[in-house]
């Protein structure tokens, strides 16, 4: 990572109390490069749990109500400068708006909101705020993903024709939500997860990754969504055909019911000159195949890579960097952006999230109508 | 392979002269297990080429006209018992009918015919013949594919929910047909290839493989076909959504324009208990993942496999068997079927081919109508 | 990681100034789980560099002389409790002794010292100190390595017969030390690296890993060392035959001149019932093969793993953890040991390091004598 | 394969009756490219078994006594021109000599003989014969192995420094010979197998492969052999250090007791410019790594390969060729050599086999003397 002034940003967190998954991940990410100091949080809406969680983290100030937190932190001289939102989806919008209105920068987990309507409202609020917004599409911060994006931009694939992207898991094969599993419960509850299940939770990641690397967006989608889990209200699998603005076509498969898959996010992009292939579970490699030549295995940390990869890489090649390092890259780059008043074009923004919500909404609508081509819109 | 009487079947061949690819493959396959003796052929419709080709093969009788060959061979006491048809698609039907009418068994390359109408006509002719018909969907004869099929039948995956199948190549990335490449020329010519390009050539293999292993058929398809190659009339890529008779859903991706892919035929099937994954380029392995357990790497030639795999396997585990061995399995099993008057339920038949043509026709129709769900029909 | 009291240990560092590699790694590792606060350092023996480095890290107290640092920190009420030693090898012993004598706990990079004699002296000093000692054999802290060790202990491999371990790199293929590369210069200088080059730098890691997992030690070694790099004084490759106390035999290959290898540390252990295989570059997987059964692919983060793996794992399966996480595991466990006054049997100690030096010395001696079996001794 | 006159060589076989493994392999290999016609055999020394085996193969002439077979076949006008020897090792020499003396060409399985003394005698007999000799070191006939050899010769690796070769199996982990397993019984019986077990059976293959590709030979070896199987007289595992004539060093690991390994023959060669890696179980790939560049994955059947690979390749890339195809390459090239009176420098000869026996003898001697460096000699 490039050197930046060693001033730590004061960070708050909403959500992420005891038993949470993604909150812990955000904290690892914030800590790794030492650009943040976690000083305040509304880790839970239950008072005792919030207190216990804050104590366990050695956090200075604990809140129960995020509105109160936004208010009070904005009034303190040593109040937080950035807040991380790691709640279920339905709270993203209200929490983000509360802090944006107080001029506090927001780091928000994906998908942006539970509904497209919320996303639009949030966008308006954000436009009126001076504060900045980071959406944690963490997979786009892996070094070899950055390399892939750079390669596409430099024309190393030729004209992009075909994109195959998939994100497969298996943890919802059975209806885990009926056992009380916290992660499963909220993700399969429309009131908390929003209009989509699997498409929102991981399909949105796959879609953002494809767009990020291929440097384009879908103009229309055609989706076939399924709900395999017994009694499950939201989708747990999706096959989505894609037509992109740059003329490419593709397919996105997202599944949470595919036994043997853990976090099998895979991206393949083919142009008229070359193709690339990347797998999240072995993220330090990128296969690059020029037509008629031996495939090349590009690996993180090597001198032959571009700055795009090098700038988000910490250790020598062959020493694997993983999920937390990629997640930390977003935190690191956002800190750099805030501290140096520059704009990093690789960071997912609120606009990214709004487009992502359009993708989700269009996919759901297409599937509800037995597979129409639905424009994503602007 | 199980022992069978050492009587060699007299074999003829139509197509497969100098410069041919698949004819040579059929000859390797016929030879490997020593159940056939190639004695006659109409290897080319050009006299000199037919002669030269026959001579190079040490073949006894050379014809130019397949009708004459069918006639004369059927009249000889030592005439051929079986004919292999390895011509471009548009000749499959007329050649097969000529031999079937003479009571000569037919081994025919896929797809069955150039059009669905031809396929129906051929089916009627076949019904009236005593002769048998083998369609060389060779991938379904790999030992680990047979194992996969057995596992599905035994319920080792639970109820099948999701099927992802793909067959990617890159050799038509550029418009090779414009350079005179023989294989590319006929495959991209509607008059010879028929109603589809990539879907017929390799999509049909992928589809048959998925149905074969999952023990079901699609009831409807929704396709988005592309023709990327400059000046290309037929499709060279397809994304096809599938809904199967057993309730499963899926996606088929076939591409001949994906740089870095040679014959990347991959099948993944997920049930509510387990999933499997198989790759044609490493065919001796089958990954099997029971939910919540470590994935298992099943490998050809081991004692823990079923008879389904063992019966089409020749050498010990760890000594790779490949494409020719799988192809030879079809020839071997067909010989066994002919010589023992049994029926092998694993062999692709004319009915398989007719259904395959319905799949191709439905896919083309769906794509021409911007992605309708089109029933495959019976 | 198991929950521990949220009191951060005050940490110091010797070495690791500007341009250092391993010092940065130690700092990431110390930070990740939030159990340390880096407050003091003698980051360089050059005053200006030490100052600049300390400033860039936002470190409170900067020293040039490690003796002075040990003295002064031990006198402060808020003085460091632990020191990380990340200097070239020849300084490990004097620095470690300085801090141990003041009762300050030591985290020291490997190999323990530059010579066996130093290692013995250091051991005596350590015995007289109340302070504890951690040697950062970081590879032994990967979750799947811990799992492997647990499996061996539980007898899941049967009696161990054969061990193949290797650590291959390529960065010293050419004589990089002649270009002034800082990492190459000291590693190839006997005065700084000690009695061995490659064997000390990475062979020692491979050897410790093998012993750690197989739960045994070599009783004798036979080595053939090479110095391929032009003008290179120390070894850059080694083939070492091993005979272990538990009766197993094996081979260790270490190379820094093998093009295409980055940090290819691989361990394979075979018992009379089963075998295991692990690769550092894909550390989240462990292959486990019971004789006559399909190989199993065990992956980090799954419920079927033992506590040994789970207790050093942070995030769900399929989200790769890497080198920094494994390194951080040592820091985390050492903190836990210090704060809870327990003993973690998995942590590499000074005794581990002393034995490692015996291994290095015996290997060098064996090679100098054209391949004698040399006892490692106690 | 290059075109050759379609005249089939008349082939005989000694050994390879019912229940044999390698005899069947030789027959597949002889058949695949249609250059041989199997007409005579002494398939077993037991009369009934010989008869039954010959009948099942549709073989014209069946013998029990190989001496009688050599005599009678040499007297017939239509007698065999080539004989394949697929007996246990101790019969290789007497059988080969019997046929060589009659001027009949010999294809012999490896190792050449049971003892070095026999090998020398056989060599003398061969020198006096006009007949030619092929030793079936089949792994050296894989296309990508040929490519690797060509690359070494062209200097694409620079000066060779380091060779790691291994051949691991697991089928003798338990003492299978005590169960009556035919393959295990003779291989573990010094009277039939000769002076070595694992080293002769598979170590000899690994050694030949390394020498073949690296274009050199060992000048001295240092071995540590083990016999792990209960009651086993011969070695079942070996770790052998190697020093080559070209200055390279290396290590050979052969094991038949390594659970999880089937026929894991792996070769890695490193020069001062680049390295290569090849695995027999995925034989269609060759990794090639130039220092400082992305590793390249070379695959069989592509236009970027040399003639060396192309000339022993049958089908397009991505359609795997396997063990039988490689074995058949030897048969095909030997036929071409015999029919065209040319010399193919890639074919393993009697000299190859004699050197192999020296390697085996030296390894056994070294191990018996607790690891001396033993010259291989000439």
């Amino acid at each position: 990572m490039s050197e930046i002034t060693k001033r730590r940003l004061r960070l708050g967190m909403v959500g992420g109390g005891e038993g949470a998954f993604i909150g812990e991940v955000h904290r690892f990410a914030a800590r790794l490069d030492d650009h943040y100091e976690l000083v305040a949080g509304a880790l839970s809406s239950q008072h005792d749990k919030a207190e216990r969680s804050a104590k366990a983290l050695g956090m200075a100030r604990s809140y129960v109500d995020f509105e109160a937190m936004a208010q009070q932190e904005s009034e303190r001289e040593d109040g937080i400068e950035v807040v991380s939102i790691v709640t279920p989806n339905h709270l993203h919008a209200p929490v983000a708006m509360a802090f944006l209105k107080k001029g506090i920068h927001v780091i928000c987990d994906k998908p942006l909101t539970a509904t497209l309507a919320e996303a639009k409202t949030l966008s308006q609020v954000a436009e009126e705020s001076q504060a900045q917004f980071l959406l944690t599409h963490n997979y786009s911060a892996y070094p070899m993903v950055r390399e892939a994006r750079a390669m596409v931009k430099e024309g190393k694939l030729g004209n992009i024709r075909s994109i195959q992207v998939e994100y497969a898991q298996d943890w919802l094969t059975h209806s885990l939500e009926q056992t009380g599993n916290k992660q499963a419960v909220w993700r399969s509850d429309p009131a908390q997860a929003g209009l989509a299940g699997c498409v929102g939770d991981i399909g949105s990641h796959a879609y953002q990754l494809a767009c990020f690397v291929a440097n384009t967006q879908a103009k229309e989608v055609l989706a076939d969504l399924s709900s395999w889990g017994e009694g499950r209200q939201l989708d747990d699998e999706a096959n989505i055909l894609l037509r992109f603005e740059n003329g490419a076509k593709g397919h996105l498969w997202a599944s949470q019911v595919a036994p043997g898959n853990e976090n099998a996010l895979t991206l393949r992009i083919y142009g008229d000159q070359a193709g690339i292939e990347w797998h999240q579970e072995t993220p330090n490699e990128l296969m690059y195949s020029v037509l008629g030549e031996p495939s090349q295995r590009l690996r993180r940390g090597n001198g032959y890579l571009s700055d795009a990869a090098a700038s988000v890489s910490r250790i020598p090649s062959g020493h694997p960097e993983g999920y937390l390092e990629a997640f930390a890259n977003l935190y690191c780059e956002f800190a750099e952006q805030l501290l140096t008043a520059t704009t990093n074009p690789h960071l997912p923004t609120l606009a990214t999230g709004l487009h992502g919500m359009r993708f989700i909404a269009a996919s759901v609508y297409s599937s509800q109508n037995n597979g129409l081509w639905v424009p994503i819109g602007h």
Side-chain angles (χ1 to χ4, degrees), chain A residues 106-158:
Chain A
V106 170
I107 297 174
C108 182
D109 215 274
K110 45 44 59 189
L112 182 62
T113 54
T115 67
L116 179 52
E118 281 178 345
K120 291 177 181 173
T121 308
L122 173 54
S123 290
Q124 289 168 340
V125 169
E127 269 176 37
E128 292 156 16
S129 169
Q130 297 295 325
Q132 298 190 31
F133 192 97
L134 171 72
L135 192 72
T136 52
H137 274 306
N138 49 293
Y139 303 110
S140 62
Y142 271 112
M144 298 314 289
V145 168
R146 294 288 177 87
E147 184 71 16
R149 176 175 162 99
M151 291 168 72
V152 169
K153 282 204 175 169
E154 289 165 30
K156 289 193 172 176
L157 278 69

Side-chain angles (χ1 to χ4, degrees), chain A residues 1 143 300-301 308-316 321 329:
Chain A
M1 312 296 297
R300 190 194 55 75
S311 72
V312 286
S313 181
R314 290 167 189 79
I315 49 174
E321 288 188 0
N329 288 339

Side-chain angles (χ1 to χ4, degrees), chain A residues 176-302:
Chain A
L176 202 59
E177 61 271 30
Q178 297 176 1
T179 69
N181 176 294
K182 182 180 168 175
Q183 301 300 327
V185 165
W186 80 254
R187 277 180 176 79
S188 60
D189 174 11
Q192 296 182 73
L195 73 163
C198 174
V199 173
D201 197 29
I202 57 175
S204 62
H205 269 311
Y207 176 69
Q208 188 269 342
L209 182 71
C211 295
F212 179 79
V213 174
N215 204 31
T216 186
Q217 289 186 334
K219 62 180 182 198
E220 52 183 341
V221 299
L222 185 160
D224 195 16
L225 274 51
S226 309
S227 297
W228 295 106
E230 205 188 315
R232 192 165 285 159
Q233 290 180 267
L234 293 172
D235 60 287
D236 49 22
E237 182 167 58
N239 282 291
I240 305 176
L241 300 184
L242 303 158
R243 290 176 180 163
F244 292 91
E245 290 177 354
N246 66 355
K249 295 185 180 182
H251 172 251
L252 183 155
W253 173 51
S255 179
Q256 297 180 308
V257 297
N261 291 283
E262 296 173 353
N263 279 288
L265 171 60
T266 292
L267 176 64
R268 293 175 291 177
I269 302 182
Y270 302 101
D272 58 12
Q273 303 299 332
I276 52 173
E277 179 169 349
W278 179 81
H279 298 268
Q280 194 269 150
E281 297 191 351
T282 49
N284 295 281
E285 286 190 12
L286 175 68
M287 289 306 292
Y288 173 53
S289 303
V290 176
L291 187 68
E293 299 182 9
S295 293
Q296 297 175 45
R297 189 181 64 190
L298 280 61
R299 309 224 318 171
R300 190 194 55 75
N302 281 286

